[in-house]
């Protein structure tokens, strides 16, 4: 819609004299004004579309960056989970060993008390 006849020539505004020095008619001014409004409307629409495309593109870039960060975080958490699982297994094993040792020491204590009672009884006789 951008033809050279629909726009004023450089140095000339809407309604100014055209080549040959003739005055622009009112109908011609209205036509020029209508064409200018249509051009403005088209440019605004195009501007809106370009802005929307830019938003979509930026959103995709942010998502990709966000996804990369999320993948890194998931990997970190997976490694931490493995480390904690290994530590938990080791602690469980140590706990079982210590419980076994406590049981052995309790048995030894019971045996020592029983032995001590016998000696006390034997000495008191």
């Amino acid at each position: 819609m951008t033809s050279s006849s629909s726009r004023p020539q450089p140095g000339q505004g809407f309604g100014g004299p055209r080549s040959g020095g003739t005055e622009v008619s009112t109908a011609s001014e209205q036509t020029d004004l209508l064409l200018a409004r249509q051009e403005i409307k088209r440019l605004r629409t195009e501007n809106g579309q370009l802005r929307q495309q830019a938003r979509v593109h930026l959103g995709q870039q942010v998502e990709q960056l966000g996804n990369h960060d999320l993948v890194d975080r998931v990997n970190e958490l997976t490694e931490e989970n493995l480390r904690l699982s290994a530590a938990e297994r080791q602690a469980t094993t140590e706990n079982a060993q210590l419980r076994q040792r406590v049981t052995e020491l309790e048995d030894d204590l019971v045996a020592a008390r029983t032995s001590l009672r016998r000696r006390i009884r034997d000495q008191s006789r």
Side-chain angles (χ1 to χ4, degrees):
M1 283 198 189
T2 59
S3 65
S4 60
S5 64
S6 67
R7 289 194 222 163
Q9 298 298 317
Q12 208 179 359
F14 285 106
R18 290 212 178 184
S19 62
T22 61
E23 288 292 322
V24 177
S25 69
T26 304
S28 178
E29 286 177 349
Q30 289 177 351
T31 302
D32 286 347
L33 185 58
L34 179 63
L35 290 173
R37 286 181 179 158
Q38 289 174 348
E39 179 72 7
I40 289 169
K41 184 178 179 180
R42 185 189 66 77
L43 290 172
R44 284 184 178 157
T45 302
E46 183 180 341
N47 185 18
Q49 291 170 347
L50 290 173
R51 284 179 182 263
Q52 182 61 28
Q53 288 174 359
R55 282 188 198 106
V56 168
H57 183 67
L58 287 173
Q60 289 172 346
Q61 288 179 341
V62 167
E63 269 185 27
Q64 288 174 353
L65 291 175
N67 288 342
H68 181 3
D69 291 342
L70 289 175
V71 167
D72 288 347
R73 183 65 177 143
V74 166
N75 290 337
E76 288 174 13
L77 291 173
T78 301
E79 289 174 13
E80 182 70 10
N81 188 29
L82 292 172
R83 187 186 67 74
L84 290 173
S85 293
E88 188 266 338
R89 282 192 301 275
Q90 182 179 359
T92 300
T93 301
E94 288 175 8
N95 186 9
Q97 291 171 347
L98 290 172
R99 286 181 185 269
Q100 179 64 33
R101 181 70 177 138
V102 166
T103 301
E104 290 170 2
L105 290 173
E106 285 174 344
D107 290 346
D108 289 349
L109 180 61
V110 168
R113 283 181 179 163
T114 303
S115 175
L116 182 61
R117 282 187 198 126
R118 282 187 196 147
R119 285 187 184 178
I120 291 174
R121 258 190 267 142
D122 289 344
Q123 285 181 358
S124 65
R125 287 186 190 192

